[in-house]
Amino acid sequence: MKITVLGSGTSCGVPVLGCQCKVCQSQDPHDHRLRCSILVETESTRILVDIGPDFRRQMMLQPFRRIDAILITHAHYDHMGGMDDIRPYCQFGDVNVYADGLARLNMLQMLPYCFEANRYPGVPAIGLNEIKSGQKFTIGDINILPFEVMHGKLPILGYRFGNFTYITDMKTIAPEQAKLLKGTDVLIVNALRFDRPHHSHQLVNDAIEFAHSIGARQTWLTHLCHDIGLHQEVNAHHLPADVKLAYDGQTICL
């Protein structure tokens, strides 16, 4: 299984419009972060997790072939705003989207023209499926376990694929949900910045503590804002050996 980090940035992306900080002015491509999304692939199956407003730009760098499923973590725009851009992939057939009840409802409200009885030609062909935390399902040859984390007061989904776990926008997780993640070898998890607590996102130290609590062997931090610092400096001097910043275009083979 191969994981591709399509985007590792927070809702504003990096560089932030109008910002003159050293990260936003960096020429290192590792410091350029599109909105959060990953691809999970085997030789026969291709799954996208979240489809933000940078989707078209992200997929221009990937081979053009069928997307078997799109998994949605939650209904915020930076995680769903690129849904209309799946239209070119509909030439392979309907694109199945999987989301919890709230995200499903939001999608119906955001893209009502995709679900009308008499759709006009060219709109995305979406198969919309409701899933629930703790209920396993399979896409192709990939087994998936959705689980619940809290984005502030909003319950959202993370996903476990065998020994790989992906979480974004988490602030807290209940102990019974964390137990489902024991045995994770590779973890991608959100860490907004090092300081200044946020009401709905965890910080770097929170992410490190969580990763160690579930026994993750290698952790990559995502959903990073420009306050995180320069990629090379942070990885070299400010993180333990088993935790590093993820970056756009990164591939992880399991």
Side-chain angles (χ1 to χ4, degrees), residues 14 26 29 47 64 66 70 81 110 148 161 170 173 215 230 237 245:
V14 183
S26 171
I47 296 174
F64 183 70
R66 177 182 174 86
I70 300 174
M110 184 175 76
E148 183 180 277
F161 309 84
M170 179 173 74
I173 183 170
L230 295 170
H237 303 296
L245 301 185

Side-chain angles (χ1 to χ4, degrees), residues 71 98 130-139 142-147 157-162 177 179-182:
L71 311 182
Y98 297 81
E130 184 171 339
I131 56 175
K132 294 182 179 180
S133 171
Q135 295 185 0
K136 297 179 181 180
F137 62 105
T138 301
I139 304 294
I142 299 178
N143 297 319
I144 304 160
L145 172 65
F147 56 91
L157 294 179
Y159 294 98
R160 180 169 183 171
F161 309 84
Q177 297 296 308
K179 287 180 181 178
L180 299 175
L181 310 181
K182 294 286 187 178

